[in-house]
Amino acid sequence: MNTRFDRLALLETFVRIAERGSLSEAARDLGTSQPSISRQLAALETRLDVVLARRTTHDVTLTPDGLALLEDARRMLGEWEAIEERHSEDDALKGVIRVIAPVALGQSLFVRAASQFMKDHPSVTIDWRLRDDAIRFAEEGCDCWLKIGAVPDDTLVVRELARVERLVVGTPECLAAHATQPLKDLPWLTLGPFEGNRIELSNSGGSAQVFSVTPKMASDNIFAIYEACLEGVGVAILPRWFIADDLVQGILIDAEPDLRAARLPVNLALAPGTKRPARVERFCEAIQVWCRDQLGSSA
Amino acid sequence: MNTRFDRLALLETFVRIAERGSLSEAARDLGTSQPSISRQLAALETRLDVVLARRTTHDVTLTPDGLALLEDARRMLGEWEAIEERHSEDDALKGVIRVIAPVALGQSLFVRAASQFMKDHPSVTIDWRLRDDAIRFAEEGCDCWLKIGAVPDDTLVVRELARVERLVVGTPECLAAHATQPLKDLPWLTLGPFEGNRIELSNSGGSAQVFSVTPKMASDNIFAIYEACLEGVGVAILPRWFIADDLVQGILIDAEPDLRAARLPVNLALAPGTKRPARVERFCEAIQVWCRDQLGSSA
DNA sequence: GTGTGTTCATACGCTAGGCGTATAGCAGTC
DNA sequence: GACTGCTATACGCCTAGCGTATGAACACAC
C-alpha cells in the first residue's frame, strides 16, 4: 500500500473527525469533500492497521484505539505547529487556545487575565470552558486546564499557580449577633467540595482546630454562599480574592484574623510533551505571571 | 505553495541528509534519486521559511536552524514510529538502537546486557559507541546515553541505573610489601577523571578520610590502571564489578574492607518526549533490570 | 592549466495518487 | 413511504512529485 498522503494531514483530519463526530462536518470544516475525508480516515486505519472509528450512517464514534491515537495526534500536531512557527518572522500569536477553568475563578478573576491576553494578542481566540469536575483531559482536546486543588491525572504536567488564602467572613451585623458564641456554633455557610461539614482552621503558628458543624446552608456554588453571606445569613469561608473588595468596604469582615482555612492550591495542567504551540506556551506564562502579580504567593 | 509532500517524510529525509552530510548519499540510503532529495529539502525549507543547510558542491552543513530542527525531527519521527507500532500485532522489536556508553563499562559489562537484548530481539540492531566525554546529545542522533556520573545536560531525562561500589585493591604481594605504611604512602595507581591526586575514603559509619597522594601512576584508562595493579605495581581504587572475579580468585585483595570510595552513579539519559519507539523503551527497561540484577543497588 | 570525478540544482515529460463529482446504500425522522 | 443526511464506492481528471538527463560549481590529481 504505497500511499502518498501527508501523515500529519491524516492526523489533522482524524482529529477533526473526532471533534465533529462526523466525516461530513469534518469535510466542511476543512473545506474539502466528504469522500476525501472518508479516504483519508481509511488510509490512516490501513496504515496503522487498526480500526479508529465505528461509522454508522448517522454518527462516527471513536474506538478505544482511536481515542488513544487522538491524544498522540493532538500532541504531534502541536509539535509540528511549534516547529513551523519557530521561524515565522511575524511573532504575532494566532489560533485558538482551549482552556478549561473552574467556574468561580473562570467567570471572574481568571477571565480578566484571559481578556488581557486577548488584547495583547488580537489574533488569538480563546475557547473558555468552565467546569469544576475532573475532566478526561486527553479526550477534551483542551490545551490547558486550570484546576483548584490536586490534578487527578498524573500523566499531565502540573504547574502551581498560587495557593489562595481563605478566611472566615460575615457581615458586621451577623458577626455582632453571634459574638458570644463559640466558633462551632456560628451559622456556617459551607461550600460543598471543600468543607463538607468539617471546618479546619489554623493560626499562623500552625496549631489547628477542627470541628464539625451543622451548616445553616450548604452549597456547591460559591456565589450562592457569597450571596447568603452578604444577606447576613451566616459566616462562610471564602477566598480572599473573592471578597477583597467587600473587606475594604467593610461590607464583610474578617471574623477571625488569626485563623485561616488551609490554602487551596490553584494548578495549571498541561498535556505532557516537549514542544507546544507558542500561543499555548505564552498563555500559560501569562497566566502564571498574572497569578503571581494578582494573587501573589500569599494570595 | 501548495505542496503535497508528506511532512514526516520531509523530516525523514532531512534527518538522513543531516546524518550523511550529503544529498546524494541520503538518496542512496533512501533508495530514491538525488533530485528528489534536493526537492524535498527545498520544500521543507520553503515550508518552514528558513534555510536548513548550506550546500556547497562537496558537502552539506546544517545551519543553526537546521540543527535545532534536527532534534525536533528525530523526536517527532520517533513518536510517529511509536504510534505505528503500537498496534502492530507482531510485537517483535526491530530497527536500530543507537547507544553511547562509557568506554570501560561499554566494552565489558554493559555489552553483555546489550548482547542479551539482541539475542532476545533478533531483529534489533545496536549501534554501540563508546565515549567517556560529554556529548552533544541532540546532534549525535543517539537514542540513549549511558553515563558515569552526572549528566551535564539538563534537557535530558535521566534515570539512575546503579551506584557502583569502589574499593581499594592490590595484589597480595603488593599489599604485604607495604603493610606497615599508612594509606597515603601506598603506591597509588589513580584513575584521572575520578580521583586526580586526592583520595577520599569513608567507612560504613560515614566518617571520611581525605588525603593527597603522589601517584605511582596516573591514567585516564581503567584497563591500564588495572593491568598495572595486577602487575603488583601498586594499589588502585576500582569498581567492584570490574575486579569481582579477581577478588574471588584471590588475585586481588580488598585492601581496606572498612573503607570505600564514594559510589559512582551510573545514569541513563534519554531525549525528552512522551513516546519513544518500543525498541528504545524496552532496551532501557532491559538495561535497568539488568543493572539491578547484576550491579544491584549495592554494586 | 586541464582533466576527472563528485557534488547539487534545474528542466522535462510521465505517471500515479489523490481530488471532486456523482451515485448507491443505509438509517433515522416526519 | 417519502425525505433527509450520513458514509462508502466508482470514475475520470489533474497535478504534484517522480526519475532521467543535463548543467554548473567545486575539489583534487597530474
Side-chain angles (χ1 to χ4, degrees), chain B residues 62-137:
Chain B
L62 296 192
T63 62
D65 289 331
L67 229 44
L69 178 65
L70 184 56
E71 184 177 349
D72 291 332
R74 285 207 178 99
R75 188 191 60 248
M76 287 198 71
L77 292 171
E79 292 182 8
W80 173 264
E81 216 178 331
I83 288 176
E84 265 202 331
E85 68 194 1
R86 173 166 333 137
H87 299 294
S88 93
E89 64 282 1
D90 68 333
D91 51 356
L93 304 183
K94 58 179 169 233
V96 53
I97 308 174
R98 297 188 178 176
V99 185
I100 294 184
V103 176
L105 273 167
Q107 70 186 33
S108 54
L109 201 65
F110 276 163
V111 76
R112 294 204 283 273
S115 300
Q116 185 57 49
F117 190 81
M118 286 186 284
K119 281 182 205 157
D120 294 342
H121 306 282
S123 300
V124 166
T125 308
I126 297 185
D127 182 346
W128 189 253
R129 303 184 191 182
L130 305 188
R131 295 177 50 184
D132 283 328
D133 51 341
I135 60 172
R136 297 260 352 113
F137 191 97

Side-chain angles (χ1 to χ4, degrees), chain B residues 3-5 32-33 35-36 39-40 57:
Chain B
T3 172
R4 220 150 51 185
F5 280 104
T32 182
S33 67
S36 176
R39 275 192 297 264
Q40 291 186 32
T57 51

Side-chain angles (χ1 to χ4, degrees), chain A residues 3-5 32-33 35-36 39 57:
Chain A
T3 173
R4 221 152 49 185
F5 279 104
T32 183
S33 67
S36 176
R39 276 192 296 264
T57 52

Side-chain angles (χ1 to χ4, degrees), chain B residues 204-246:
Chain B
S204 57
S207 67
Q209 52 178 291
V210 186
F211 49 90
S212 291
V213 299
T214 53
K216 186 83 173 174
M217 177 171 122
S219 171
D220 59 355
N221 184 290
I222 193 173
F223 291 96
I225 295 293
Y226 171 68
E227 290 298 331
C229 190
L230 283 183
E231 294 294 328
V233 176
V235 300
I237 294 178
L238 291 172
R240 176 177 287 279
W241 63 265
F242 198 86
I243 42 83
D245 289 347
D246 300 312

